[in-house]
Amino acid sequence: MPRITPCLWFNNQAEEAARFYNGIFKNSEILSISRYGDNGHGTPGSVMTVKFILDGQEFLGLNGGPQFPFTEAVSMMVNCDTQEEIDYYWEKLLDGGQEVECGWLRDKFGLPWQIVPARIADMIADTDPVRSDRVMKAVLQMKKLDLNVLERAYAGE
Protein backbone atom coordinates (compact mmCIF):
# COMPACT_ATOMS: atom_id res chain seq x y z
CA MET A 1 0.00 0.00 0.00
CA PRO A 2 1.39 3.42 -0.91
CA ARG A 3 2.10 5.80 1.95
CA ILE A 4 0.10 8.63 0.36
CA THR A 5 -3.18 8.02 -1.48
CA PRO A 6 -5.08 11.08 -2.75
CA CYS A 7 -8.76 11.01 -1.77
CA LEU A 8 -11.06 12.69 -4.28
CA TRP A 9 -14.37 13.87 -2.82
CA PHE A 10 -17.24 13.52 -5.27
CA ASN A 11 -20.88 14.32 -4.76
CA ASN A 12 -22.10 10.91 -5.94
CA GLN A 13 -20.04 10.07 -9.06
CA ALA A 14 -16.94 8.33 -7.63
CA GLU A 15 -17.55 5.05 -9.46
CA GLU A 16 -18.45 6.76 -12.74
CA ALA A 17 -15.34 8.94 -12.48
CA ALA A 18 -13.06 5.99 -11.68
CA ARG A 19 -14.38 4.10 -14.70
CA PHE A 20 -14.00 7.19 -16.91
CA TYR A 21 -10.39 7.75 -15.84
CA ASN A 22 -9.59 4.02 -16.17
CA GLY A 23 -10.67 4.24 -19.81
CA ILE A 24 -8.11 7.00 -20.42
CA PHE A 25 -4.97 6.01 -18.51
CA LYS A 26 -2.95 2.86 -19.10
CA ASN A 27 -1.88 0.73 -16.13
CA SER A 28 -5.18 1.48 -14.40
CA GLU A 29 -7.79 -0.58 -12.61
CA ILE A 30 -10.57 -0.43 -10.06
CA LEU A 31 -9.41 -2.25 -6.93
CA SER A 32 -12.52 -2.20 -4.75
CA ILE A 33 -15.89 -0.58 -4.17
CA SER A 34 -17.43 -0.13 -0.74
CA ARG A 35 -21.06 0.69 -0.13
CA TYR A 36 -22.93 2.62 2.52
CA GLY A 37 -24.66 0.52 5.16
CA ASP A 38 -27.56 1.41 7.39
CA ASN A 39 -25.38 3.65 9.60
CA GLY A 40 -23.63 5.74 6.94
CA HIS A 41 -24.26 9.19 5.55
CA GLY A 42 -25.37 7.80 2.18
CA THR A 43 -28.29 5.74 1.00
CA PRO A 44 -27.80 2.12 2.11
CA GLY A 45 -26.31 0.13 -0.77
CA SER A 46 -25.05 3.18 -2.67
CA VAL A 47 -21.34 3.54 -3.44
CA MET A 48 -19.36 5.08 -0.59
CA THR A 49 -15.78 4.68 -1.87
CA VAL A 50 -13.96 3.44 -4.95
CA LYS A 51 -10.30 2.47 -4.63
CA PHE A 52 -8.61 2.71 -8.03
CA ILE A 53 -5.27 3.03 -9.80
CA LEU A 54 -4.46 5.48 -12.60
CA ASP A 55 -1.18 4.97 -14.42
CA GLY A 56 0.21 3.20 -11.35
CA GLN A 57 -0.95 5.84 -8.80
CA GLU A 58 -3.54 4.76 -6.24
CA PHE A 59 -6.57 6.99 -5.53
CA LEU A 60 -9.66 6.77 -3.39
CA GLY A 61 -12.92 8.26 -4.68
CA LEU A 62 -15.39 9.16 -1.93
CA ASN A 63 -19.06 9.93 -2.48
CA GLY A 64 -19.35 12.46 0.30
CA GLY A 65 -22.03 14.81 -0.99
CA PRO A 66 -22.03 18.26 -2.59
CA GLN A 67 -20.56 20.33 0.26
CA PHE A 68 -16.91 20.19 -0.92
CA PRO A 69 -16.57 20.76 -4.68
CA PHE A 70 -13.19 20.55 -6.42
CA THR A 71 -11.16 23.75 -6.84
CA GLU A 72 -7.94 24.60 -8.65
CA ALA A 73 -6.21 24.62 -5.25
CA VAL A 74 -5.53 20.94 -5.98
CA SER A 75 -5.26 19.57 -9.51
CA MET A 76 -4.05 16.48 -11.32
CA MET A 77 -1.02 17.18 -13.52
CA VAL A 78 -0.29 14.93 -16.48
CA ASN A 79 3.29 15.28 -17.76
CA CYS A 80 3.46 14.51 -21.48
CA ASP A 81 6.52 13.84 -23.65
CA THR A 82 4.92 14.67 -27.01
CA GLN A 83 2.23 16.85 -28.54
CA GLU A 84 0.35 13.66 -29.40
CA GLU A 85 0.16 12.82 -25.68
CA ILE A 86 -0.95 16.36 -24.85
CA ASP A 87 -3.66 16.15 -27.52
CA TYR A 88 -4.79 12.69 -26.35
CA TYR A 89 -5.17 13.54 -22.65
CA TRP A 90 -6.65 16.96 -23.40
CA GLU A 91 -9.29 15.52 -25.70
CA LYS A 92 -10.18 12.57 -23.45
CA LEU A 93 -10.33 14.48 -20.16
CA LEU A 94 -12.12 17.44 -21.74
CA ASP A 95 -15.02 15.23 -22.93
CA GLY A 96 -18.01 16.81 -21.18
CA GLY A 97 -15.74 19.23 -19.32
CA GLN A 98 -14.45 22.75 -19.83
CA GLU A 99 -11.26 24.32 -21.15
CA VAL A 100 -9.70 26.77 -18.75
CA GLU A 101 -6.32 28.29 -19.70
CA CYS A 102 -2.56 27.69 -19.59
CA GLY A 103 -2.91 23.92 -20.02
CA TRP A 104 -5.71 23.60 -17.44
CA LEU A 105 -9.12 22.01 -17.92
CA ARG A 106 -11.96 20.80 -15.74
CA ASP A 107 -13.33 17.37 -16.52
CA LYS A 108 -17.04 16.55 -16.49
CA PHE A 109 -16.84 15.84 -12.75
CA GLY A 110 -15.31 19.27 -12.05
CA LEU A 111 -11.83 17.91 -11.26
CA PRO A 112 -9.08 20.30 -12.44
CA TRP A 113 -6.32 18.84 -14.63
CA GLN A 114 -3.10 20.31 -16.00
CA ILE A 115 -2.01 18.70 -19.27
CA VAL A 116 1.57 19.86 -19.71
CA PRO A 117 4.82 19.01 -21.49
CA ALA A 118 7.14 17.14 -19.13
CA ARG A 119 9.83 19.75 -19.89
CA ILE A 120 7.78 22.80 -18.94
CA ALA A 121 9.02 23.02 -15.34
CA ASP A 122 12.63 23.09 -16.55
CA MET A 123 11.82 25.69 -19.21
CA ILE A 124 10.11 28.00 -16.72
CA ALA A 125 12.83 27.48 -14.11
CA ASP A 126 15.65 28.25 -16.58
CA THR A 127 18.32 30.47 -15.05
CA ASP A 128 18.03 32.80 -18.06
CA PRO A 129 15.07 35.01 -17.09
CA VAL A 130 14.53 36.17 -20.69
CA ARG A 131 14.17 32.59 -21.88
CA SER A 132 11.87 31.72 -18.97
CA ASP A 133 9.74 34.82 -19.56
CA ARG A 134 9.31 33.97 -23.26
CA VAL A 135 7.96 30.54 -22.32
CA MET A 136 5.59 31.97 -19.68
CA LYS A 137 4.33 34.58 -22.15
CA ALA A 138 3.55 31.80 -24.63
CA VAL A 139 1.82 29.67 -21.97
CA LEU A 140 -0.40 32.58 -20.93
CA GLN A 141 -1.72 32.90 -24.50
CA MET A 142 -2.91 29.28 -24.74
CA LYS A 143 -5.63 27.04 -23.45
CA LYS A 144 -4.29 23.65 -24.61
CA LEU A 145 -0.50 23.87 -24.64
CA ASP A 146 1.35 23.60 -27.94
CA LEU A 147 4.74 22.00 -27.37
CA ASN A 148 6.20 23.31 -30.66
CA VAL A 149 5.28 26.90 -29.79
CA LEU A 150 6.77 26.50 -26.31
CA GLU A 151 9.99 24.98 -27.71
CA ARG A 152 10.31 27.86 -30.19
CA ALA A 153 9.72 30.42 -27.43
CA TYR A 154 12.34 28.70 -25.29
CA ALA A 155 14.82 28.76 -28.18
CA GLY A 156 14.07 32.41 -28.91
CA GLU A 157 12.70 31.79 -32.39
Side-chain angles (χ1 to χ4, degrees):
M1 171 181 272
R3 182 173 294 264
I4 298 173
T5 301
C7 180
L8 303 175
W9 181 298
F10 294 90
N11 180 9
N12 60 4
Q13 314 105 322
E15 182 178 8
E16 180 186 353
R19 293 192 188 287
F20 176 71
Y21 303 143
N22 267 249
I24 295 171
F25 293 93
K26 295 177 182 173
N27 190 24
S28 300
E29 65 179 304
I30 293 178
L31 299 173
S32 64
I33 297 175
S34 67
R35 300 189 179 278
Y36 282 106
D38 292 334
N39 296 317
H41 293 287
T43 304
S46 67
V47 172
M48 179 172 62
T49 63
V50 179
K51 190 176 188 180
F52 59 102
I53 294 175
L54 298 180
D55 200 16
Q57 169 66 50
E58 189 173 300
F59 290 86
L60 183 73
L62 168 69
N63 284 332
Q67 57 271 48
F68 298 115
F70 296 117
T71 74
E72 280 71 15
V74 175
S75 63
M76 302 295 116
M77 188 164 67
V78 180
N79 291 297
C80 302
D81 292 324
T82 66
Q83 187 64 45
E84 291 76 24
E85 285 184 346
I86 292 169
D87 295 345
Y88 171 81
Y89 289 112
W90 186 267
E91 193 175 301
K92 295 292 186 183
L93 290 165
L94 187 60
D95 184 18
Q98 171 187 9
E99 289 183 314
V100 184
E101 60 188 358
C102 304
W104 291 66
L105 63 84
R106 281 182 162 271
D107 69 24
K108 63 184 172 182
F109 306 103
L111 184 62
W113 292 82
Q114 298 178 62
I115 312 302
V116 299
R119 288 186 21 87
I120 197 162
D122 291 337
M123 289 180 184
I124 293 171
D126 193 286
T127 56
D128 179 349
V130 173
R131 183 180 275 187
S132 175
D133 286 347
R134 285 192 310 254
V135 173
M136 263 324 292
K137 183 178 179 184
V139 166
L140 292 171
Q141 295 174 20
M142 298 180 208
K143 289 194 178 195
K144 178 176 73 172
L145 298 184
D146 184 321
L147 182 55
N148 290 329
V149 171
L150 296 175
E151 292 284 0
R152 286 196 309 272
Y154 186 70
E157 298 173 3

